[in-house]
Amino acid sequence: VTTTRAAAPSLMPDALPAVTLPSVVKAARSAPSFSAVVPGRGCPGGALTEIVLEREGIGEIRLTLPALARLQAQGHDVVWIAPPQVPYAPALAAAGLDLARFLVVHCRSPADQLWAYEQALRAPECGAAFAWIGPHDDRTMRRLAVAAREGRTWGVLWRRPGQRAIAATASLRLALAPWEGRLAVRVLKRRGGELAQPVFIDVDTGI
């Protein structure tokens, strides 16, 4: 397992605050705002969020950056486990992230990825832990959910194109797809049930 800080090109139960997705993106006028359709007006902290991608590079990372910057401003680290692309440090910095509190973990095996992700979720200094890992059984997913709850960490499991959403323990499940220059966000799982209509968000795709 290799940990890299992005200084150069190369995070809750009901009592905990939600992680609000960006105030800088704009929902289409014909759709409700993203925060309005998610319980707690944001992604649940101290819990797992599962995000299913139709395609990569559609603005999915940009969607999360304001929330990550806010977590860092509160003194938390951000950890990415096995991202498919090398994060572009200048763009992250321009979006307000503190690169000194941003760590990328490269792993040699799926077992290492899982171990690193669980450790990040449990770490008290970690505010958000993102992981691009393959499917695992229900027992493993339950363990990750417990780790996120105990560590009070916003955990995101990214499902790459072609991967199915299988994390039954995820408190929130989203599906993202491009739609006429916007990002279509479908809420597949939330407290209160699935949302019938997607939310359309204007978001840059440069990261």
Side-chain angles (χ1 to χ4, degrees):
V1 178
T2 303
T3 302
T4 304
R5 292 189 181 271
S10 84
L11 160 111
M12 299 170 198
D14 292 345
L16 296 175
V19 180
T20 305
L21 286 179
S23 58
V24 297
V25 299
K26 299 173 292 182
R29 291 182 180 179
S30 59
S33 67
F34 178 81
S35 61
V37 299
V38 177
R41 303 189 68 82
C43 291
L48 296 178
T49 295
E50 189 171 32
I51 302 180
V52 183
L53 300 178
E54 179 180 298
R55 197 173 73 211
E56 291 176 331
I58 56 176
E60 68 274 13
I61 296 299
R62 173 69 70 175
L63 182 69
T64 69
L65 294 183
L68 297 182
R70 283 193 290 273
L71 286 171
Q72 288 186 329
Q74 296 166 7
H76 299 293
D77 291 340
V78 171
V79 180
W80 287 6
I81 309 294
Q85 306 294 332
V86 176
Y88 185 54
L92 295 175
L97 267 68
D98 178 359
L99 300 182
R101 304 198 75 107
F102 181 85
L103 297 93
V104 180
V105 181
H106 305 281
C107 304
R108 295 182 179 180
S109 69
D112 286 347
Q113 293 175 357
L114 185 61
W115 179 86
Y117 190 42
E118 184 172 356
Q119 300 311 303
L121 290 171
R122 291 187 183 278
E125 63 272 19
C126 183
F130 287 7
W132 290 257
I133 59 178
H136 293 279
D137 58 29
D138 288 345
R139 181 179 179 182
T140 299
M141 291 295 102
R142 286 195 296 269
R143 194 170 76 238
L144 293 176
V146 169
R149 183 174 69 248
E150 293 181 347
R152 302 170 65 92
T153 301
W154 176 35
V156 177
L157 288 163
W158 293 91
R159 299 305 185 195
R160 303 186 67 185
Q163 292 182 335
R164 295 185 300 112
I166 60 168
T169 56
S171 298
L172 178 67
R173 180 176 296 121
L174 308 175
L176 308 185
W179 186 83
E180 296 185 359
R182 292 189 174 98
L183 189 62
V185 181
R186 292 180 57 212
V187 181
L188 303 180
K189 179 183 178 182
R190 62 168 183 165
R191 291 198 304 273
E194 181 177 339
L195 186 68
Q197 298 296 326
V199 176
F200 301 103
I201 297 176
D202 292 321
V203 61
D204 293 335
T205 61
I207 298 179

